[in-house]
Each structure stands twice: as structure tokens, then as C-alpha cells.
Amino acid sequence: MQHFDIAVIGAGAAGMMCAAVAGQRGKKVVLIDHAEIVGEKIRISGGGRCNFTNIDAGPANFLSENPHFCRSALARYTPRDFVGLIRQHGIAYHEKHRGQLFCDESAEQIIQMLKDECATGRVTWRTGTRVAKLRQEGGAYVLETSDTDEHNATLRAAKVVIATGGLSIPKIGATDFGYRIAKQFGLKLTETRPALVPLTFEEKSWKPFAALSGLSLQVEIETQGPFGRGHFLEDLLFTHRGLSGPAVLQISSYWQPGGALHLNLLPQLDTTAWTAAKSGLRGTAMGLLVPAFPKRLAEAWIERELVAAERARPVADLPDKTLKRLADSLTQWRVTPNGTEGYRKAEVTAGGVDTRELSSQTMEATKATGLHFIGEVVDVTGWLGGYNFQWAWASAAACARALAAA
């Protein structure tokens, strides 16, 4: 049986970071993952360029049933700290949108950087290896694995870190392993759900909009849910089954089943001025919308909201109440999704290990000494735009530093 100071299960963003930091601080670390090729979520993020952090990341950008939990870790490992690491490895990057930082070249650079950091810490790798059983024994942990080599099949570690992520994107290997371990050791879970995910609508009600699939525009979107009011100004994308794009991915974390979305499709226009200025306006209602509105959407909207006679009349001849009705339909569009596209298209999993069961300083479980949980498996969910990676780095660093100091 091989002995280690720390066994990290899950070689994603949080797992690799934790293993590297602990290894470089003198701990003997083994990093285990059931996949042969690690870092898939990093690899596909940001269109292959990895939105690795957000320079504005702070506690207000995260959702949790225990919202103050993330403060400590985020304060002790900031976006500037990770950018410093990026620069040490000579990785070029750029800010794309509202603090979102991306690699200039490829997400592969982030994966290789983490591997190199692990190498510096002399981390032992076990890829293509599943942990079948985990138990406490004699003040340490015994891990029974799928390794066919009898000498390597069972490992012993003084401490264990669970960094196995959530349920999102099962095709790249997501499992419920972390939740099962939490339950095994008596830890509570908060309800898990797909987050940063497209929303869907009942087929019949969505039929008028299905033909607009692929069309996008900037909107204001908001909803009221269990985590309060979510409000964003972002791009909206129409799909065959519903709505997507950054606006909807963001609001999906706040949305609850049965709740309505409130959208302003023309946030850049003062539609209340239409009635006052209508005498000076030429053309039909299409002319009001097309300059600032995708033509396909303008045509569909006017056909939906105005009768044929109203569509043909000049704006100057339309009654004030008709213009107000049109303006309200655009700025106060209220729709109720019937669900989401599920974990297969969710970027992250909301919910998870209840943070009230963990130390915010060390990520250690209060009911199981030496057992730690970091990253997405924990009930901390960031906004779209690099925030979830920052939680991975920060929670991993907090955990690794505590383990190294123990």
C-alpha cells in the first residue's frame, strides 16, 4: 500500500491547483482522476480559450445558501494572484468583456501550466483510475481504486480532498461522486440544479419564436428567485426550444421553476417618447424598430402585436394607446420558461455540499477530520464570465495552504 500526505480526487481546475500548491509546500500528494485526459472543462471553456478569471470577482458575484462562506477564500487568493501565475508561465491574455480574462491562444496553456505546477510540487498522478471506496481507518483514509496493479490498487492518505465537480456536461465525465462521498460521511447537501444553462418553453407557446433561432440582441433581463433579484444587461439568443446567450445563462442561476422572466428588448431606446414625437415620425411601425432591432425580430414582433391595418398605417396616424401597447410589449416582455436544457448544456452545477458543513478557512468537513471539499462540488456558484474558475483557484489555494500548514 502506498502512503501519501494528501490524496486529491478530481484533476480539474480546483484539483490540479490544490495538488500543485500543497506539493510545492512540501506535502506528498497523489492526484487521482477517472479520466485518462484531464482538464476537459478547462479545455472547452471560453470557446477553447478559457475565461480563466474575472478581474472584478468578489463575493457579490456568487450564489449560495450560505452567501458569506466564499468571502474568506476569495479574499486570500484573488484574480491578481492567478494573473501573476499566468504571467510567470508567459501566457498571453486579454480582457474581452466586463473583466473577463481569456488566453490569447488556447485553453491548453492553462492545463499545461497546472500540470507544470504539479510537476514542480512532485505530485504523483493516477489518471484513468476510479476510487471505488473511501473509508477512515486509524486516523487516516484508505482509498480502494480500480488500478489493476495490486501494489497501487489501495492507497493510504492522511488527508483527502474531493475536487470532483458537479453534474454538468456528463459527456466529458461529470459524476455524482463528490455528493456520494459527502453523504457517506454524514454531510448535508443543498439541492443541485443546472446553472448557467439555456431555458426552454412549451412547444406550442414558443412556436411563433422558433423561427427566430440564431438571432441575438442586447437586452435587460431580470427575475426574482430564492437568491433574490437577478438583473443583467447582456446578449440574448433565440433558439429552437427557447432562450440562451449570456443574458439567459446569467439569469438561469436566479430563476426558479414557475417563475417569470421580465425582459426589455430595447434597453437603449426611450420608447415612452414615441407618442410625444409621433407627429414628426415618418413611415410605419417597422421604421421605429429596424434601426435598433434585428429586422427578422421586428417583422415577427409587429405581426404579433399589431393587426394588419395598424401595420400598414403611418406611425403618425396610430393612436397613442397603440404605440404604448407596442412599446410595453417590447420593454415589458414577460415569459415563463417550462424548464432548462439540463445538465447536458449547463456550464456549472448549482447547489452541492452544504457550506455550513465546511470550514471557510480550510474547506475541511466539520464531521470528518481530514476530509476537504473544493470547487464546484461545494454550494458556491459564480456568475458567467470567469467567476467559477476563480472560485476553483481560491478554494483550492485555501485548502492546500491549510493542509500544508497542518
Side-chain angles (χ1 to χ4, degrees):
M1 185 186 299
Q2 287 189 305
H3 294 253
F4 295 90
D5 296 321
I6 303 165
V8 179
I9 306 174
M16 284 192 278
M17 184 72 168
C18 183
V21 173
Q24 289 178 26
R25 293 188 174 213
K27 295 298 182 180
K28 185 180 180 183
V29 183
V30 60
L31 181 55
I32 307 166
D33 200 285
H34 64 85
E36 290 286 357
I37 300 174
V38 301
E40 276 298 289
K41 214 163 187 184
I42 299 172
R43 188 171 284 108
I44 65 174
S45 74
R49 291 192 175 181
C50 189
N51 179 193
F52 55 81
T53 193
N54 192 297
I55 58 175
D56 299 320
N61 307 117
F62 294 84
L63 284 71
S64 172
E65 287 194 6
N66 180 18
H68 298 296
F69 178 82
C70 65
R71 289 181 178 275
S72 176
L74 291 172
R76 288 182 289 140
Y77 192 89
T78 68
R80 287 187 181 87
D81 292 319
F82 193 75
V83 168
L85 184 61
I86 291 284
R87 287 175 173 168
Q88 285 177 30
H89 286 259
I91 298 174
Y93 65 93
H94 61 278
E95 181 180 347
K96 188 174 181 181
H97 177 64
R98 296 179 182 173
Q100 300 170 15
L101 301 187
F102 290 76
C103 297
D104 284 357
E105 296 179 23
S106 170
E108 293 285 353
Q109 294 173 291
I110 302 296
I111 298 170
Q112 189 58 53
M113 177 191 77
L114 293 169
K115 287 181 175 179
D116 290 345
E117 288 290 306
C118 285
T120 301
R122 297 184 178 182
V123 172
T124 298
W125 285 82
R126 290 286 188 85
T127 56
T129 300
R130 294 182 180 274
V131 176
K133 290 183 181 179
L134 174 65
R135 68 179 188 274
Q136 282 182 306
E137 184 180 280
Y141 289 87
V142 175
L143 297 80
E144 296 180 19
T145 76
S146 62
D147 201 309
T148 55
D149 184 326
E150 187 176 339
H151 176 68
N152 294 327
T154 303
L155 310 174
R156 188 178 180 89
K159 312 285 185 180
V160 170
V161 180
I162 305 298
T164 49
L167 302 171
S168 53
I169 323 181
K171 69 179 180 181
I172 62 171
T175 74
D176 66 347
F177 179 88
Y179 308 135
R180 287 188 277 116
I181 294 299
K183 287 180 180 179
Q184 176 188 332
F185 287 91
L187 307 185
K188 294 178 183 177
L189 301 177
T190 63
E191 183 180 0
T192 56
R193 66 190 189 283
L196 303 184
V197 64
L199 298 174
T200 60
F201 294 82
E202 189 269 330
E203 185 177 0
K204 184 178 180 181
S205 68
W206 195 249
K207 191 173 181 180
F209 305 104
L212 301 174
S213 179
L215 185 150
S216 67
L217 72 161
Q218 189 179 73
V219 304
E220 275 186 292
I221 188 168
E222 67 175 86
T223 194
Q224 188 73 30
F227 296 101
R229 173 177 172 265
H231 178 269
F232 298 94
L233 176 67
E234 286 282 7
D235 287 346
L236 175 82
L237 175 69
F238 284 82
T239 72
H240 288 293
R241 289 164 45 85
L243 295 172
S244 187
V248 170
L249 299 187
Q250 292 280 39
I251 211 69
S252 69
S253 295
Y254 290 83
W255 177 75
Q256 62 179 341
L261 305 179
H262 300 267
L263 296 102
N264 179 356
L265 301 181
L266 286 174
Q268 72 277 32
L269 288 186
D270 178 12
T271 57
T272 60
W274 285 356
T275 54
K278 74 172 187 177
S279 60
L281 297 174
R282 296 183 179 182
T284 64
M286 273 293 289
L288 283 175
L289 301 186
V290 170
F293 219 49
K295 185 177 180 182
R296 272 199 301 150
L297 180 56
E299 291 172 341
W301 205 268
I302 287 175
E303 184 174 349
R304 176 176 179 264
E305 295 295 330
L306 302 181
V307 299
E310 292 171 331
R311 295 196 293 270
R313 289 173 69 181
V315 171
D317 295 339
L318 289 174
D320 288 356
K321 65 180 181 180
T322 300
L323 279 177
K324 185 177 186 306
R325 188 180 81 237
L326 178 61
D328 288 349
S329 73
L330 289 160
T331 59
Q332 301 173 34
W333 189 32
R334 185 178 185 275
V335 287
T336 302
N338 72 344
T340 77
E341 289 286 4
Y343 290 115
R344 68 189 182 91
K345 289 195 175 181
E347 295 202 9
V348 295
T349 302
V353 178
D354 192 329
T355 57
R356 287 162 291 208
E357 303 273 27
L358 306 176
S359 163
S360 63
Q361 298 291 314
T362 66
M363 306 293 141
E364 184 177 23
T366 57
K367 296 175 182 175
T369 302
L371 182 62
H372 301 247
F373 293 81
I374 60 174
E376 189 182 345
V377 72
V378 175
D379 175 30
V380 175
T381 304
W383 287 4
L384 181 74
Y387 299 98
N388 287 292
F389 275 126
Q390 185 57 36
W391 171 245
W393 317 134
S395 60
C399 178
R401 289 167 176 172
L403 287 169

